[in-house]
Amino acid sequence: MAKVVPLFSGSKGNSYFIGSSGEGVLIDAGRSCKQLEKALELNSINIKSIGGIFITHEHIDHCNGLRVFAKRYGIKVYGSLGTLTVLEELGHLDPVIETQVIESRVAVGNMEIVRCNTSHDARESCCYQVTTADDKKAAVATDLGVMTDSVRQIIKESNFAVVESNHDVKMLKLGIYPQSVKRRILSDKGHLSNDACASELADFVKSGTIRLMLGHISENNNIPTLALNTNINALSKEGMKNGIDFTLATVPPETLGKSVVF
């Protein structure tokens, strides 16, 4: 049975386990090795079942625990050429860690992982779609300055997806961040707002992607209930009801003992 376990989400760290039948992969390793170990233990995930770590980009909230965790357990690290290069330059990859550039797709055990480029202020950022052994597809698409056609497509082809709903534009503009940071977040290389996310979900649901979660919610420029209500209201205007036509929830900063079966 395929499942997604959102271990961590947000500016303090991001990591997701996707797998089935005793095998899986991690998408990002954005907390310390100790925190990753504890989260996996609390979610009854055997670290030996992790066949690879797929890094979306080099920002610290996506690779903080990578060097120690991958080395300790001998887990292969995958990413774009740009990401793997900058991870090595920044010291996030121990020389003993095996790495592999993923150009478009790769097989890990009985799973297939597809890479899709994203628009973000990183060397060569991407998101991933995982097809499990029972042919279920899950996508994790966060850190999106804009929603591109290629990202839309992999979400529409998935049974389950995490989509970024990072900030409320008004909260961000009135918030404490320096103007330079605000401009970065609002740019096409920044993060997807609640409204931008909400404008996309109806098409995803119509395509058959009816299991959805909102991820990478800002602790300073958003509120989980606001993100959820903004997106549900947009879907309601299309005549769609949560729990009937789709399921939508927010990914908390730390998910302990909770998985999503899809």
Side-chain angles (χ1 to χ4, degrees):
M1 184 176 292
K3 68 177 181 179
V4 177
V5 184
L7 303 172
F8 301 103
S9 178
S11 58
K12 292 182 179 179
N14 298 271
S15 186
Y16 296 80
F17 174 87
I18 304 175
S20 65
S21 303
E23 65 175 359
V25 297
L26 282 187
I27 306 298
D28 287 330
R31 288 285 188 98
S32 70
C33 179
K34 183 177 181 179
Q35 289 172 309
L36 290 168
E37 290 170 337
K38 184 64 174 179
L40 291 165
E41 178 186 356
L42 288 169
N43 286 282
S44 301
I45 298 170
N46 187 340
I47 294 176
K48 293 181 180 179
S49 72
I50 299 173
I53 304 172
F54 288 77
I55 301 298
T56 60
H57 62 292
E58 70 272 16
H59 293 167
I60 195 66
D61 57 321
H62 294 263
C63 66
N64 188 39
L66 176 63
R67 182 184 177 95
V68 176
F69 187 81
K71 181 182 180 182
R72 180 170 296 177
Y73 297 102
I75 303 174
K76 192 172 182 177
V77 177
Y78 298 80
S80 68
L81 176 60
T83 295
L84 292 179
T85 300
V86 72
L87 286 173
E88 184 175 0
E89 291 172 356
L90 295 172
H92 293 307
L93 290 174
D94 190 280
V96 304
I97 297 172
E98 185 179 2
T99 62
Q100 181 175 330
V101 173
I102 173 172
E103 297 290 352
S104 58
R105 61 188 68 227
V106 67
V108 175
N110 295 307
M111 300 170 292
E112 182 182 66
I113 296 85
V114 173
R115 170 192 151 204
C116 179
N117 289 343
T118 56
S119 179
H120 195 53
D121 59 341
R123 183 77 62 90
E124 192 180 5
S125 63
C126 64
C127 63
Y128 296 104
Q129 179 199 65
V130 179
T131 302
T132 61
D134 48 359
D135 203 34
K136 298 292 186 179
K137 299 179 187 293
V140 176
T142 66
D143 298 75
L144 311 173
V146 293
M147 180 69 72
T148 63
D149 287 341
S150 56
V151 174
R152 286 189 185 98
Q153 189 60 37
I154 69 162
I155 293 173
K156 288 180 178 181
E157 293 172 354
S158 300
N159 304 98
F160 170 90
V162 175
V163 185
E164 181 173 56
S165 191
N166 175 259
H167 60 276
D168 174 78
V169 173
K170 185 175 181 180
M171 285 183 67
L172 175 63
K173 288 182 175 179
L174 295 176
I176 61 172
Y177 283 7
Q179 288 300 318
S180 59
V181 176
K182 293 178 181 179
R183 286 193 296 270
R184 169 191 168 267
I185 294 171
L186 291 168
S187 76
D188 286 352
K189 297 290 186 179
H191 291 276
L192 214 62
S193 70
N194 292 339
D195 290 334
C197 178
S199 71
E200 301 284 347
L201 294 194
D203 281 345
F204 298 154
V205 173
K206 290 174 184 176
S207 73
T209 308
I210 60 172
R211 304 293 301 278
L212 296 157
M213 295 189 79
L214 306 175
H216 216 306
I217 296 172
S218 172
E219 296 179 6
N220 296 309
N221 304 302
N222 209 349
I223 303 169
T225 53
L226 176 59
L228 188 62
N229 289 338
T230 300
N231 282 275
I232 287 179
N233 288 342
L235 287 163
S236 295
K237 290 178 181 178
E238 297 289 329
M240 302 174 182
K241 295 183 179 180
N242 194 14
I244 298 176
D245 301 300
F246 63 91
T247 61
L248 182 66
T250 57
V251 182
E254 300 186 14
T255 304
L256 305 178
K258 296 181 180 180
S259 62
V260 179
V261 177
F262 65 99

